[in-house]
Amino acid sequence: MTSVGIVDTEHGGDERGNEHSTANLRPVPSSNRNGVLEMMAMRRDPFAYADRRMAQYGNISGLNALGLKLVVTGGPRAASEILMNKDRAFANGPAWSYFIGPFFNRGIMLLDFDEHRHHRHILQQAFTPKVLKGYMAEMQPIIAERVAAFPTGKVKLFSEFKELTLDVALEVFLGMELPKHEADKLNQAFIDTVRAGVAYVRKPMPGGRWWKGLRGRKVLEEFFYANIAAKRATQTPDLFSVLCHAESDEGDRFTDEDVVNHMIFVLMAAHDTSTITMTQMAYWMAKHPSWQDRARAQSLALDSELTYDDLGKLDALDLIMKESLRLCPPVPAQPRMAIKDTSVQGFFIPKGTIVSVSQMTNHRDPEFYTNPDIFDPERFGPDRAEDKGHRMAWMPFGGGVHKCIGLYFGQMEIKTILHQLLRGYEWSVPADYQIPMDYSSLPVPKDKLPVQLRRR
Ligand code: HEM
């Protein structure tokens, strides 16, 4: 075992002479194992991997991963220290850029401090309740029409959801009727940029993921720049138009370049996260038909067309969604880079270290959750409220200044789609079926969740 960072406790500073007092800080315990093997073990079974590290090193430990000095943290207290970032010691940009920088250049999640605050104030205007109601009105008819046309029999629900959320994104985010070949081209460009972030070969080798990602980014940029003048000319209820006209309370507005960068990032941030969540919810409702029945009864008690206020009445879906997000957070971990020497939970974190906050680990912390591996939505009910034990005990949407800006949009879309599915269909999986997950990037089912889908 080695440690990450050299601690000079005598002088209360580090070898670079920085000010941060390191007296009494402990070095982070770290494994000597080859970082690539570590990453592979983590991807294969992140739960077993986290348990093993926790047992061996405790909830803060280091590894050398693909040339990165990485410190993995577990537990809501460490998460709170890092994400609330009181000393402004941790930055998003340099950490996230490593993974997605070239494809999501200057997306809001990659901005920091004053610049981030400036952009977030303007972006917030695209997610107020009034604007959300406009998006909801736009998405209702497409969702109702598309869910009604779902195939029956053995159906891969993940694929159906993915296609549907892409179509919703084109309508609600772009607000444009595109010829099929152009919509397909955009979808492909978008898929390529998302996949590029987890490429093993991080160079533009022709035909490779990285190369396709860069090409995809170019297609998206060209599309948005070509349409921005028209969007600035009139106001429509789609995100593209809203960003063109958004103005913060201080009167700040986005430049064309900002609009393009934010559109590309938000499309990415909104898509897989919502698809993964509804897939997990559908899986658990297939495994636990009593929850499916309970959620269906509430949907049948409402009209087919939901109003924004109806969303709050679907409380069975709420509980199922919370529990699904707990067991499988679509963003399983968040990286930050220490931009100065600092500490987490009494451990020394040298400048340049990437620390990772793991919601996947925190969501199974037995200090807060009874039988954490069991699907039990009632744990979120008012009597138990297990998620309230610590503000970072349940954190699928992150925390601190970068907390997900689209959390209400995401929940609105997910509930609207599942509301239609519950009203129109019943679905099941064999009793012994366990969803096989691929954790190599965002967690997706390897088999795309095949269910038996029957019209009611
Ligand atoms: C269930 C669905 C979703 C989940 C689990 C989720 C999760 C997250 C998480 C964990 C972060 C924080 C990342 C960090 O701090 O490093 C985040 C940020 C963000 N999310 Fe979401 N998200 C979801 C849906 C959406 C949707 C639908 C949108 C847009 C419509 C969206 C837009 C964003 C944006 C723009 C950020 C960056 C905010 C900032 O840096 O200020 N997300 N999301």
Side-chain angles (χ1 to χ4, degrees):
M1 184 165 112
T2 59
S3 63
V4 172
I6 302 154
V7 185
D8 176 357
T9 46
E10 296 242 314
H11 298 94
D14 67 6
E15 75 274 28
R16 288 176 295 275
N18 289 341
E19 289 297 309
H20 186 88
S21 168
T22 57
N24 303 322
L25 293 180
R26 287 166 289 163
V28 172
S30 176
S31 78
N32 282 327
R33 240 177 121 207
N34 178 326
V36 176
L37 294 181
E38 294 270 0
M39 297 296 270
M40 284 167 72
M42 193 183 332
R43 285 179 174 193
R44 207 167 33 243
D45 185 346
F47 302 111
Y49 179 79
D51 289 349
R52 211 170 43 244
R53 283 194 77 87
M54 193 75 87
Q56 196 171 355
Y57 304 112
N59 68 348
I60 306 219
S61 60
L63 63 138
N64 248 315
L66 309 171
L68 292 176
K69 255 193 294 176
L70 184 66
V71 168
V72 185
T73 70
R77 292 173 191 90
S80 193
E81 258 185 85
I82 297 164
L83 297 183
M84 300 320 287
N85 201 11
K86 288 213 174 88
D87 292 342
R88 296 164 73 94
F90 296 105
N92 267 36
W96 274 116
S97 291
Y98 174 80
F99 301 101
I100 58 172
F103 318 105
F104 298 100
N105 180 33
R106 294 194 55 78
I108 180 130
M109 196 176 72
L110 282 68
L111 304 179
D112 281 296
F113 305 117
D114 291 349
E115 191 179 31
H116 171 259
R117 198 171 45 245
H118 168 82
H119 283 253
R120 178 124 179 165
H121 274 166
I122 309 175
L123 193 57
Q124 202 80 55
Q125 304 307 313
F127 295 96
T128 61
K130 184 167 169 258
V131 179
L132 286 176
K133 283 180 192 173
Y135 300 145
M136 183 145 173
E138 294 294 305
M139 72 168 78
Q140 288 262 9
I142 326 164
I143 291 176
E145 187 192 315
R146 292 289 312 277
V147 173
F150 270 11
T152 49
K154 193 164 184 181
V155 174
K156 294 187 172 176
L157 268 187
F158 176 73
S159 308
E160 295 298 327
F161 288 151
K162 199 164 167 103
E163 224 176 277
L164 174 54
T165 48
L166 267 177
D167 287 350
V168 171
L170 283 186
E171 183 81 24
V172 176
F173 290 165
L174 308 189
M176 295 163 90
E177 294 274 331
L178 296 177
K180 185 166 176 343
H181 72 274
E182 193 158 355
D184 288 348
K185 188 174 162 197
L186 274 191
N187 280 345
Q188 193 54 50
F190 172 64
I191 289 166
D192 287 344
T193 49
V194 171
R195 279 164 56 93
V198 290
Y200 276 113
V201 181
R202 308 180 77 77
K203 285 193 178 72
M205 309 268 281
R209 276 194 183 192
W210 198 265
W211 178 82
K212 283 188 188 164
L214 293 174
R215 201 186 49 175
R217 165 88 198 187
K218 197 156 171 279
V219 169
L220 293 175
E221 279 183 3
E222 281 167 7
F223 172 81
F224 286 117
Y225 279 119
N227 287 288
I228 205 160
K231 283 288 170 184
R232 287 220 188 264
T234 49
Q235 267 179 284
T236 43
D238 53 274
L239 181 79
F240 194 5
S241 170
V242 174
L243 291 194
C244 284
H245 298 94
E247 196 172 292
S248 71
D249 295 342
E250 297 80 36
D252 295 321
R253 300 182 66 159
F254 285 139
T255 63
D256 284 2
E257 198 185 347
D258 294 336
V259 172
V260 172
N261 289 331
H262 291 317
M263 278 306 295
I264 294 176
F265 180 80
V266 172
L267 271 172
M268 183 277 288
H271 183 238
D272 281 338
T273 48
S274 303
T275 307
I276 291 167
T277 308
M278 59 187 99
T279 304
Q280 287 289 324
M281 291 171 72
Y283 166 62
W284 288 115
M285 282 192 268
K287 292 285 282 181
H288 299 268
S290 60
W291 277 101
Q292 190 179 142
D293 294 344
R294 191 166 150 182
R296 179 172 297 108
Q298 289 186 343
S299 276
L300 289 172
L302 297 169
D303 287 342
S304 169
E305 185 167 332
L306 286 176
T307 64
Y308 190 72
D309 294 334
D310 285 339
L311 295 171
K313 297 178 190 154
L314 298 171
D315 58 8
L317 270 185
D318 247 336
L319 295 175
I320 297 165
M321 177 154 53
K322 284 188 172 145
E323 182 66 336
S324 301
L325 284 166
R326 182 185 73 81
L327 287 165
C328 182
V331 183
Q334 292 155 254
R336 299 287 189 263
M337 183 179 277
I339 51 169
K340 56 184 178 185
D341 287 352
T342 185
S343 65
V344 174
Q345 295 285 287
F347 287 97
F348 177 57
I349 307 289
K351 179 178 172 181
T353 308
I354 292 194
V355 297
S356 135
V357 172
S358 169
Q359 32 263 72
M360 216 165 202
T361 311
N362 296 0
H363 286 181
R364 291 174 192 247
D365 190 333
E367 185 183 339
F368 301 98
Y369 295 108
T370 43
N371 293 325
D373 294 329
I374 304 295
F375 175 78
D376 177 11
E378 294 290 8
R379 67 172 84 247
F380 291 97
D383 298 341
R384 289 167 59 192
E386 295 181 4
D387 55 316
K388 302 283 186 254
H390 189 285
R391 70 168 158 192
M392 299 282 174
W394 188 77
M395 48 173 307
F397 297 105
V401 297
H402 287 277
K403 187 166 180 177
C404 180
I405 208 170
L407 84 171
Y408 296 113
F409 181 99
Q411 294 179 59
M412 181 171 91
E413 181 180 22
I414 291 164
K415 279 186 170 176
T416 306
I417 291 175
L418 288 174
H419 170 71
Q420 293 298 341
L421 193 72
L422 285 160
R423 287 176 62 91
Y425 303 85
E426 289 169 356
W427 64 98
S428 57
V429 290
D432 60 350
Y433 174 78
Q434 303 281 338
I435 194 165
M437 297 300 292
D438 172 356
Y439 292 102
S440 60
S441 86
L442 299 188
V444 292
K446 289 180 190 157
D447 62 356
K448 309 204 180 337
L449 183 60
V451 301
Q452 275 299 328
L453 192 64
R454 294 171 295 279
R455 242 174 259 288
R456 291 184 57 253

